[in-house]
Amino acid sequence: MSTLEQLKEQIRKALPDLDVVIGWEQGYDAMHATPLFIREEADIDRLIWSPLCVHSLGTYLTGLTKSSKVQKVGLVVKGCDSRAIVQLTQERMIPRENVTLFGVGCSGCLSHARLEYKVEQGGHYVEDMHAITFNGDKVEVAVDGGVESFDFDTVCLEKCLTCRFPNAIATEHFAGEEVPVAPKREKAPSLEAFEKLPLDERFAFWQDQMRRCVRCYACRNTCPMCVCRDHCISTSRNPHWVSQEASTAENFMFQMIHTMHLAGRCIECGECQRACPVDLPIMLFRRTMVHAVKDTFNYVSGADPEATPPLLTFKAEEDNINERGW
Amino acid sequence: MRIGVFVCHCGSNIAATVDCPSVAEAAKLFPDVVFATDTMYACSEPGQDGIIQAIKEHRLDGCVVASCSPRMHEPTFRRALERAGLNRYMLEMANIREHVSWIGKNKELNTGKATELVRIAAEKLRLNTPLFANQFDVTKRVLVIGGGVAGIQAALDCADAGIQVIMVERETSIGGKMAKLDKTFPTVDCSSCILGPKMVDVAQHPNITLYAASEVEEISGYVGNFDVKVRRKATYVNWASCTGCGLCMEKCPSKKSHDAFNEGVATTTAINIPFPQAIPKKAAINPEFCMKLQKGKCGVCAKVCPTKCIDFEQQDTIVSEKVGAIVAATGYDLFDWTVYGQYGAGRYPDVVTSLQYERMMNASGPTSGHIQRPSDGREPKRVVFIQCVGSRDKSVNRPYCSGFCCMYTAKQAVLTKDHIPDSDSYVFYMDIRSPGKGYDEFTRRAQEQYGVQYVRGRVSMVYPKGDVLVVRGADTLAGTQVEVEADLVVLAVGVEASKGAAHLAEKLRISYDQYGFFMESHPKLKPVETNTAGVYLAGCSQGPKDIPTSVGQGSAAAAKVLTLFAKDKLESDPQVSSVNQNRCVGCLKCTMTCPFGAIKDVKDRAGNTKAEVIETVCQGCGICTVTCPHGAIQLQHFTDNQILAEVNALCQPELEF
């Protein structure tokens, strides 16, 4: 039985006890998947599982579990998605007992941005892509009557290159085989390249990028860890951290707030960058913070349901910060 | 809002390097400022009257006083505002003295900086709101940490006033360093004879609970309501039934144990009562040397004990106590004298420390009061004292004077003559420091009546020659080098903060200096207070002191405790966190990070979880406010918006006037 068939079977069995199960279905074209809300058995047939299933569905949880109409939620999760659930549980943001997770192993998701760039480089229009097949290490795209083939590693999401959690963790169900943990890169290539820049060039780089931010808040709205909902301080007057002024400085302030609020919480799902309509390299912020937290607290967020996140506790003396030399 | 600005000259303290009238002139242009003036001494009576008059005349809602540090005069100006009918929290201070005039000489730059600080204060004040204090109950019990003479005095004074006292002592007996001394200067009266009765009083006082062989494990809470956890270390003896008969000590076969009380002059038994006058007089086993605990064989003490109180299985226990105030009287330890390799300390047995010498002279010491050379037991005929070993020496990072070494050296030299009438004593000194009643007379008596030879100069080295030691040093008064052959060399070792003092300071949340001594609140005017309300200091934990000063400080700390306890209720500081329940999403991250347990979860009318601050428990540290991602919890008087207003005031481009 394929992973998808197993998954459908598990959902079919569990559905009577659940108000809704969220997975993915084929989207508006061959190239895209879109979230699927399974409410009755007939919906299950529309479920798909492929590298197109990029969305981190945990982002719906904090809202759904607060709704009076929904008590029990099922969720299909990849490795990275499941870390979001672990982190949300640690933070007591979701009633974990009301959530049923259907885990899968994932060998990487497609980066539409990278693929579209490659297709355009090949002299085609993105709109003319009409079919996509994932064939082991190869991705074949039917475009303009011909077929373009790419190495998967060149068109996958950057996070998949460094992925250490391909298999969903702490789930109730798991479909298919576990995928071996085999990160292809130690550090994200974009971060490696960025860290080679001298400080003044880094600053110039960010000034240029932040000038482009349109403050649409797509990065915030898609983030599974952004839980303040209507109370986000980037759109409040009291406290008034950020003004409406669309200047580089205010944009930067907003992005910094988002980064700081994800310290020790970001599970590197990359949804912020994927959702960004102007393709800001937001994951550079995230990864820098993730490395800082790892170095300072030796903590990987969303990896261990029993762990206490370092910024959710009080210690007079941090284990790794030896201020007094005792 | 109508704001008034008052720029203080502080005589010439500020006005010498800040153009105060032009700061006031510039302030008139800040938003909401309707009145600005400069004043000679804002804190003086006419200065305060000027503020009150301006508030009434110009119908001010709040004031900025640009003067000294708020540590100095914030209470003064808050009271002035209250006298004028305003809420005390409608005051902001701009520190243009410590932060400006005292640290910079350029008048133009200083004036600019002072103006900016006033602008910051005015911008914050625009967002200030009146705050009101709550009241809370006081637990009228006091914890005294350390059972030396300072702690004993503080404990007895409090207990006599009817306050319950918890005394925690690290060693198995109270008494501290004074209990080790033979005689005390300048009266040369027996140390344990005058301390002993006080120790007995501690043991017998109905208001004092003594935890010996115990340490403070954890302190939480705040002034009036501290929760203290005390670790009672395993002594392997059930103290409830131990009678202190000493039979176990007679029979214990492990006679080579380190004798901490006797400063290692001799060895003792593994099970041990440190000295005959010990309080409590209970035996304790040193597990490092006990054969039963080390090798599992022996148990002689358990066999001979008439009350069967030996318990080799005993574990540390933790007891919890609630107190309203804490006196830290942890005393001192000796500087590590072995770093002075040139004096042969630690290498030559006949080079001893002043405290070891004290034990050698003491009738209840290991030599029964007979001064003997540790190497061969011979009575020394010539004793050389070297002063300032670990005092006034930058090269060993001890630049301070230990204060009482000059006096005890003179005392020890006098006693040497008493013990061995045909002996000679030499003292190498830098300066003789003997301020105090009868002190200088005493050092003169040592020289004139007892013939102690005082040589002004430092010792360069001590080396053995046959069975004597040669002390080579400078005589700076004669301008020559001198060598003295000595049978015994006594090092007047300087003092440093007690071991672990810094760790305790962290638990108490009080400051300490680079040498580990606890910091008083003000070096002159608040010598026994700390910057943590409800925590007081006594004795050498604050800095080197002799016995009378330590006793005086013990009583002073007790007076502070009694002053605190004179009120049944204390006023809480309203500068605490507060939750905007409309914004709170009930994630309770604030409860997880709060070090004081000051935030609880409540349900609103719709049954949603919300956070709520317990005002009297909150200490206003602000950790919750940086934890809450959406700013639902705000520290009153330091809200996000107030701080942002300050930052914006400073970071805006120069205003164009």
Side-chain angles (χ1 to χ4, degrees):
Chain A
M1 209 178 345
S2 73
T3 301
L4 181 61
E5 289 309 314
Q6 255 190 53
L7 190 58
K8 284 181 176 173
E9 198 50 43
Q10 287 166 354
I11 294 175
R12 191 166 286 122
K13 273 194 195 144
L15 190 58
D17 298 324
L18 299 171
D19 296 314
V20 63
V21 177
I22 315 174
W24 303 272
E25 67 176 321
Q26 195 61 44
Y28 55 88
D29 67 8
M31 305 302 297
H32 292 85
T34 193
L36 165 69
F37 288 72
I38 301 168
R39 292 200 165 78
E40 35 196 87
E41 203 170 328
D43 299 335
I44 297 176
D45 294 334
R46 282 151 57 200
L47 187 74
I48 64 163
W49 166 237
S50 80
L52 294 178
C53 302
V54 290
H55 321 79
S56 183
L57 301 172
T59 200
Y60 291 111
L61 268 187
T62 39
L64 267 182
T65 50
K66 285 217 163 46
S67 145
S68 54
K69 289 183 197 136
V70 178
Q71 296 296 326
K72 304 266 184 189
V73 183
L75 207 65
V76 186
V77 286
K78 309 184 287 287
C80 44
D81 306 342
S82 66
R83 290 175 62 196
I85 314 302
V86 169
Q87 185 69 25
L88 287 172
T89 311
Q90 288 172 344
E91 296 180 20
R92 296 192 277 186
M93 292 311 305
I94 51 167
R96 182 64 181 85
E97 65 282 5
N98 291 344
V99 178
T100 305
L101 297 182
F102 301 91
V104 287
C106 165
S107 346
C109 282
L110 180 74
S111 163
H112 290 82
R114 290 174 88 194
L115 177 68
E116 287 167 7
Y117 178 75
K118 289 218 167 259
V119 167
E120 283 179 348
Q121 291 270 300
H124 306 288
Y125 288 107
V126 167
E127 293 79 5
D128 294 336
M129 295 191 287
H130 52 80
I132 185 163
T133 14
F134 299 96
N135 198 351
D137 293 343
K138 294 286 175 198
V139 180
E140 282 152 12
V141 179
V143 57
D144 281 347
V147 173
E148 291 274 352
S149 176
F150 307 102
D151 282 341
F152 184 72
D153 287 353
T154 64
V155 293
C156 71
L157 289 166
E158 196 180 16
K159 67 170 174 179
C160 305
L161 295 176
T162 55
C163 180
R164 289 175 189 284
F165 295 88
N167 301 300
I169 55 172
T171 60
E172 280 73 21
H173 306 278
F174 192 90
E177 297 290 311
E178 288 210 350
V179 174
V181 181
K184 298 190 178 75
R185 299 288 289 259
E186 195 54 36
K187 206 173 203 178
S190 61
L191 182 62
E192 259 178 2
F194 176 76
E195 284 179 343
K196 288 198 180 101
L197 296 178
L199 276 181
D200 53 339
E201 278 181 47
R202 290 192 210 182
F203 190 70
F205 171 82
W206 281 121
Q207 269 201 316
D208 200 39
Q209 295 293 337
M210 287 302 114
R211 191 176 44 77
R212 301 196 297 119
C213 174
V214 294
R215 222 110 60 78
C216 65
Y217 302 124
C219 50
R220 177 193 75 185
N221 295 353
T222 192
C223 175
M225 304 318 303
C226 271
V227 292
C228 301
R229 307 181 61 70
D230 298 341
H231 303 299
C232 176
I233 60 163
S234 51
T235 45
S236 92
R237 293 278 171 89
N238 184 16
H240 201 182
W241 280 89
V242 187
S243 79
Q244 298 97 313
E245 186 188 337
S247 64
T248 308
E250 292 292 279
N251 295 345
F252 199 54
M253 185 71 173
F254 162 68
Q255 291 292 353
M256 275 296 121
I257 288 173
H258 198 177
T259 305
M260 295 306 290
H261 283 185
L262 285 169
R265 306 175 65 232
C266 176
I267 41 84
E268 296 174 273
C269 65
E271 288 291 89
C272 46
Q273 182 162 328
R274 193 182 63 79
C276 180
V278 295
D279 286 333
L280 293 177
I282 304 173
M283 284 302 287
L284 278 181
F285 287 136
R286 303 284 180 271
R287 292 198 173 104
T288 304
M289 183 56 91
V290 165
H291 284 295
V293 169
K294 179 87 171 60
D295 292 346
T296 314
F297 301 110
N298 195 23
Y299 179 75
V300 177
S301 50
D304 176 8
E306 306 300 318
T308 306
L311 297 182
L312 285 189
T313 182
F314 175 79
K315 272 185 181 171
E317 188 86 352
E318 285 293 341
D319 299 338
N320 286 0
I321 308 174
N322 191 346
E323 281 177 65
R324 300 174 184 82
W326 291 347
Chain B
M1 180 175 273
R2 297 172 65 81
I3 293 174
V5 175
F6 304 86
V7 184
C8 179
H9 290 236
C10 196
S12 63
N13 269 312
I14 295 171
T17 56
V18 173
D19 184 353
C20 297
S22 76
V23 173
E25 205 53 38
K28 282 180 182 162
L29 298 168
F30 298 157
D32 288 350
V33 173
V34 295
F35 176 77
T37 186
D38 55 306
T39 165
M40 186 51 79
Y41 286 105
C43 60
S44 67
E45 212 160 279
Q48 292 186 50
D49 287 344
I51 294 172
I52 294 169
Q53 206 183 337
I55 290 172
K56 290 181 173 155
E57 208 166 290
H58 300 276
R59 292 178 291 114
L60 301 179
D61 300 313
C63 295
V64 173
V65 179
S67 56
C68 49
S69 160
R71 282 217 87 88
M72 198 72 212
H73 273 309
E74 194 173 56
T76 312
F77 296 122
R78 280 181 171 171
R79 280 195 297 271
L81 256 68
E82 278 179 329
R83 287 207 300 280
L86 292 184
N87 183 276
R88 54 159 65 196
Y89 292 98
M90 298 311 283
L91 167 80
E92 281 302 322
M93 288 188 74
N95 183 355
I96 60 169
R97 192 176 76 177
E98 283 86 341
H99 285 180
V100 182
S101 70
W102 278 358
I103 57 167
K105 289 200 173 99
N106 184 322
K107 195 160 186 173
E108 197 187 332
L109 290 177
N110 275 4
T111 305
K113 185 177 173 187
T115 310
E116 283 186 332
L117 291 180
V118 171
R119 181 189 295 161
I120 288 172
E123 284 292 344
K124 175 169 184 275
L125 178 58
R126 293 175 75 197
L127 298 170
N128 278 19
T129 48
L131 300 174
F132 302 93
N134 262 347
Q135 291 196 321
F136 61 90
D137 292 323
V138 182
T139 309
K140 294 190 179 178
R141 306 176 84 219
V142 60
L143 169 73
V144 176
I145 308 172
V149 68
I152 289 173
Q153 187 64 40
L156 287 175
D157 284 355
C158 289
D160 285 345
I163 304 291
Q164 289 288 324
V165 179
I166 315 296
M167 177 178 269
V168 175
E169 166 59 47
R170 180 159 63 185
E171 307 299 332
T172 54
S173 168
I174 59 169
K177 296 288 187 292
M178 188 177 169
K180 298 186 181 192
L181 305 182
D182 179 31
K183 302 283 194 296
T184 56
F185 60 79
T187 44
V188 200
D189 45 354
C190 163
S191 186
S192 58
C193 307
I194 53 175
L195 181 65
K198 280 187 183 291
M199 290 166 62
V200 173
D201 284 352
V202 168
Q204 296 183 345
H205 207 295
N207 287 344
I208 299 181
T209 309
L210 172 62
Y211 294 124
S214 303
E215 286 190 76
V216 171
E217 179 86 357
E218 195 184 311
I219 296 167
S220 57
Y222 52 94
V223 57
N225 292 286
F226 291 104
D227 289 303
V228 184
K229 288 203 170 75
V230 178
R231 175 178 292 274
R232 306 198 67 184
K233 294 181 283 190
T235 56
Y236 307 100
V237 176
N238 183 359
W239 280 11
S241 42
C242 175
T243 59
C245 68
L247 207 58
C248 50
M249 277 177 80
E250 282 172 29
K251 302 288 182 200
C252 176
S254 176
K255 297 193 191 301
K256 296 277 179 205
S257 308
H258 175 70
D259 190 349
F261 184 79
N262 282 319
E263 295 285 321
V265 171
T267 56
T268 185
T269 44
I271 188 163
N272 169 260
I273 300 168
F275 56 106
Q277 303 95 325
I279 298 285
K281 199 176 180 203
K282 307 284 180 191
I285 294 178
N286 182 344
E288 256 180 77
F289 295 93
C290 174
M291 292 180 195
K292 176 78 178 172
L293 288 166
Q294 288 294 332
K295 296 178 187 140
K297 279 184 201 150
C298 182
V300 169
C301 49
K303 284 182 203 115
V304 299
C305 178
T307 59
K308 301 285 165 230
C309 60
I310 311 291
D311 176 9
F312 292 109
E313 305 293 311
Q314 201 179 63
Q315 301 286 323
D316 291 7
T317 52
I318 305 278
V319 286
S320 296
E321 293 283 356
K322 273 187 97 67
V323 297
I326 299 172
V327 177
T330 51
Y332 68 90
D333 272 312
L334 290 188
F335 174 77
D336 176 13
W337 59 91
T338 59
V339 304
Y340 285 93
Q342 67 270 37
Y343 297 161
R347 283 187 291 143
Y348 309 139
D350 294 336
V351 178
V352 299
T353 71
S354 42
L355 262 186
Q356 286 173 335
Y357 196 57
E358 207 71 49
R359 292 311 300 154
M360 285 162 64
M361 292 191 296
N362 194 304
S364 69
T367 57
S368 304
H370 298 295
I371 301 173
Q372 297 169 352
R373 282 161 41 111
S375 59
D376 53 12
R378 186 161 64 78
E379 195 176 65
K381 294 297 176 200
R382 188 178 284 171
V383 182
V384 171
F385 296 88
I386 304 175
Q387 290 203 183
C388 297
V389 179
S391 299
R392 302 178 69 194
D393 190 347
K394 274 190 198 156
S395 68
V396 296
N397 191 30
R398 290 292 178 275
Y400 56 83
C401 171
S402 291
F404 49 76
C405 318
C406 286
M407 290 306 298
Y408 74 62
T409 300
K411 175 198 73 182
Q412 290 179 342
V414 164
L415 289 173
T416 305
K417 195 78 180 170
D418 277 347
H419 280 256
I420 313 165
D422 59 342
S423 67
D424 296 321
S425 291
Y426 291 78
V427 176
F428 282 87
Y429 71 102
M430 287 166 73
D431 299 289
I432 300 176
R433 302 204 156 165
S434 53
K437 205 170 172 182
Y439 284 14
D440 206 56
E441 296 93 312
F442 183 76
T443 56
R444 293 212 71 88
R445 206 158 72 233
Q447 294 168 55
E448 290 160 8
Q449 211 170 313
Y450 287 84
V452 180
Q453 295 289 318
Y454 269 70
V455 184
R456 188 180 189 278
R458 295 216 65 140
V459 170
S460 60
M461 69 185 295
V462 176
Y463 61 94
K465 185 176 154 194
D467 73 338
V468 297
L469 296 160
V470 180
V471 181
R472 178 189 290 166
D475 183 343
T476 54
L477 294 181
T480 56
Q481 199 189 51
V482 288
E483 284 196 352
V484 184
E485 286 190 3
D487 297 320
L488 188 68
V489 174
V490 180
L491 306 179
V493 183
V495 305
E496 60 184 22
S498 170
K499 304 228 169 351
H503 293 72
L504 180 67
E506 294 287 339
K507 288 176 191 166
L508 289 165
R509 298 191 300 274
I510 59 175
S511 316
Y512 51 99
D513 68 16
Q514 53 183 314
Y515 312 110
F517 290 116
F518 299 152
M519 294 279 277
E520 64 284 352
S521 193
H522 189 284
K524 275 144 275 184
L525 302 178
K526 291 182 172 179
V528 297
E529 290 99 320
T530 66
N531 284 336
T532 301
V535 180
Y536 306 99
L537 306 176
C540 289
S541 61
Q542 181 260 348
K545 277 174 201 67
D546 58 12
I547 293 167
T549 317
S550 293
V551 173
Q553 260 205 340
S555 284
K560 291 290 165 189
V561 172
L562 297 177
T563 311
L564 180 75
F565 288 172
K567 303 187 193 88
D568 290 326
K569 284 187 182 282
L570 291 181
E571 273 203 347
S572 69
D573 190 335
Q575 297 172 95
V576 294
S577 286
S578 159
V579 179
N580 178 347
Q581 303 254 318
N582 293 329
R583 291 181 65 80
C584 178
V585 298
C587 67
L588 302 179
K589 288 184 177 124
C590 47
T591 60
M592 293 185 245
T593 53
C594 177
F596 306 100
I599 307 172
K600 59 179 180 183
D601 60 308
V602 293
K603 296 268 187 237
D604 69 2
R605 279 187 299 178
N608 299 312
T609 303
K610 301 282 176 184
E612 193 176 277
V613 176
I614 311 164
E615 271 179 50
T616 49
V617 182
C618 177
Q619 295 297 291
C621 72
I623 286 177
C624 55
T625 68
V626 294
T627 302
C628 181
H630 41 286
I633 192 161
Q634 294 281 330
L635 185 56
Q636 300 307 297
H637 212 57
F638 297 95
T639 63
D640 287 1
N641 280 1
Q642 284 173 323
I643 288 162
L644 287 165
E646 292 183 301
V647 174
N648 289 337
L650 188 63
C651 297
Q652 70 183 187
E654 278 292 282
L655 284 179
E656 286 157 30
F657 298 127

